[in-house]
Amino acid sequence: MTDDLFRADAYLRTCEARVLRIDDTGIVLDRTVFYPLGGGQAGDSGVLALADGRELVIADTRKAKDAEGLPTNEFVHVPAPEQAELLAALEPGDTVTARLDWERRHRLMRFHTATHLLCHLVPQPVNGCSITPEYARLDFHMTDPLDKEALTAGLARLVEASHPLTVGAITDEELDANPALVKSMSVQPPRGTGTVRTIRIGGTGEGDAQIDFQPCGGTHVANTSEIGAVVVTKIEKKSANSRRVVLGWASSADLAA
C-alpha cells in the first residue's frame, strides 16, 4: 500500500519514502506526494533523489494494477527513459526523497479547481473530463447551447470572489443517500475506506455562499483566487447530447481586453 500524502495536503512538495518494489512498470513507494493518473487528472512528475544525491527522473505516476487489471492501492512512479544505471542502483528497502515538479502540479491544481467552478456555472451531469497542465475540459450531458464569453466572465467572477476550499469527508452511506452529489457520469469517487473525500468551495461562513460540493479525490488550491486568469477557449458539440467546454490560461491579449 502507498500512503497518499497529497490527499490530506496538496501543497506537500517532498517526502522521504521507502522503496517497496521495482518492476518493469516502475517504482512503488510506501508513501508519496505524487498524484497518480485518475479522475481525469494527469499523473504527477518529478524526481526521486537517491541517498548518494543522484536523481531519478519520474515522468508519470499511475495506479498499480492486479492480475485482473484492476487498480490497487499502490502507486507506480514511472521513470523517464534511459536511466538504466540509476534504476539498477535502486533496491527494495532503500530510502529516497520524492520531489514534485511543483510548477506543473500547481497548474493541475488550479485547473482542477476551475473545473469545479465550471460545474457550478453549468449545473449538468459531466460525462467526460481531462485535466492537464495546459488545458482542462469537461463534457456536459446536455443539449442546450453554451456561451463562451458568459462562462469566461462567470469564472472570472468566482475567481475574484476568493472563495475558500475545504477538504472533508462523508460516509459511504451518506453518499448512497445523496447520489446527486456525484456530478460525473463516467468517474466514481474513490471508495474502500468507509468514507469518501469531498471538496467544498465556499459556504464556510456568513456571506460566503456555497459554490460547489462534491466527492473528489484530486488535488486543488486552497482558495479560488489562486486559480488566476482562465478563459473558455472552445465550446464544441460532441454529440446530440454532449457539449464540451475547454479551459485554457488567459493570454496577455485576454487580460488586456
Side-chain angles (χ1 to χ4, degrees):
M1 175 178 178
T2 303
D3 186 7
D4 47 3
L5 302 180
F6 56 82
R7 301 282 188 206
D9 186 357
Y11 288 86
L12 285 176
R13 304 187 189 191
T14 67
C15 73
E16 285 198 352
R18 182 169 53 87
V19 176
L20 296 180
R21 189 177 73 253
I22 307 169
D23 59 27
D24 57 357
T25 64
I27 304 151
V28 176
L29 305 177
D30 67 338
R31 62 206 301 261
T32 190
V33 292
F34 284 60
Y35 179 88
L37 172 72
Q41 181 175 326
D44 281 328
S45 60
V47 299
L48 300 183
L50 282 59
D52 62 7
R54 291 185 294 173
E55 294 184 343
L56 182 73
V57 178
I58 300 300
D60 196 4
T61 310
R62 301 290 180 105
K63 294 178 182 178
K65 295 184 178 180
D66 61 19
E68 283 73 43
L70 299 175
T72 72
N73 55 11
E74 292 183 333
F75 302 157
V76 177
H77 301 73
V78 182
E82 300 181 3
Q83 299 185 96
E85 183 179 346
L86 282 174
L87 284 169
L90 203 58
E91 297 180 355
D94 285 353
T95 297
V96 297
T97 299
R99 186 163 65 249
L100 284 173
D101 178 342
W102 172 249
E103 182 178 350
R104 180 179 182 276
R105 154 67 86 77
H106 193 228
R107 290 164 76 92
L108 289 165
M109 291 165 61
R110 292 160 62 198
F111 260 148
H112 199 147
T113 309
T115 63
H116 283 246
L117 300 184
L118 195 56
C119 285
H120 169 75
L121 296 171
V122 186
Q124 301 293 336
V126 174
N127 59 13
C129 173
S130 179
I131 299 163
T132 79
E134 305 306 326
Y135 72 89
R137 66 164 175 81
L138 288 183
D139 296 343
F140 292 99
H141 186 69
M142 60 185 299
T143 58
D144 294 338
L146 292 168
D147 185 278
K148 185 167 68 171
E149 285 70 29
L151 288 180
T152 293
L155 288 169
R157 183 178 67 252
L158 293 170
V159 168
E160 185 179 2
S162 300
H163 294 287
L165 184 145
T166 306
V167 178
I170 58 176
T171 66
D172 288 350
E173 291 75 18
E174 287 175 315
L175 181 57
D176 291 338
N178 297 276
L181 290 178
V182 180
K183 308 292 178 67
S184 175
M185 300 168 63
S186 55
V187 178
Q188 288 300 306
R191 293 200 186 211
T193 64
T195 61
V196 178
R197 183 174 182 265
T198 59
I199 298 297
R200 184 190 304 275
I201 299 177
T204 59
E206 185 176 350
D208 183 33
Q210 179 171 293
I211 301 303
D212 187 65
F213 179 63
Q214 60 178 296
C216 184
T219 60
H220 305 80
V221 295
N223 190 287
T224 60
S225 62
E226 197 175 333
I227 294 171
V230 294
V231 296
V232 176
T233 61
K234 185 186 300 184
I235 294 177
E236 298 178 275
K237 180 180 179 180
K238 299 303 294 181
S239 71
N241 298 309
S242 182
R243 300 293 182 270
R244 172 169 293 179
V245 180
V246 182
L247 303 179
W249 304 115
S251 66
S252 55
D254 294 321
L255 296 175

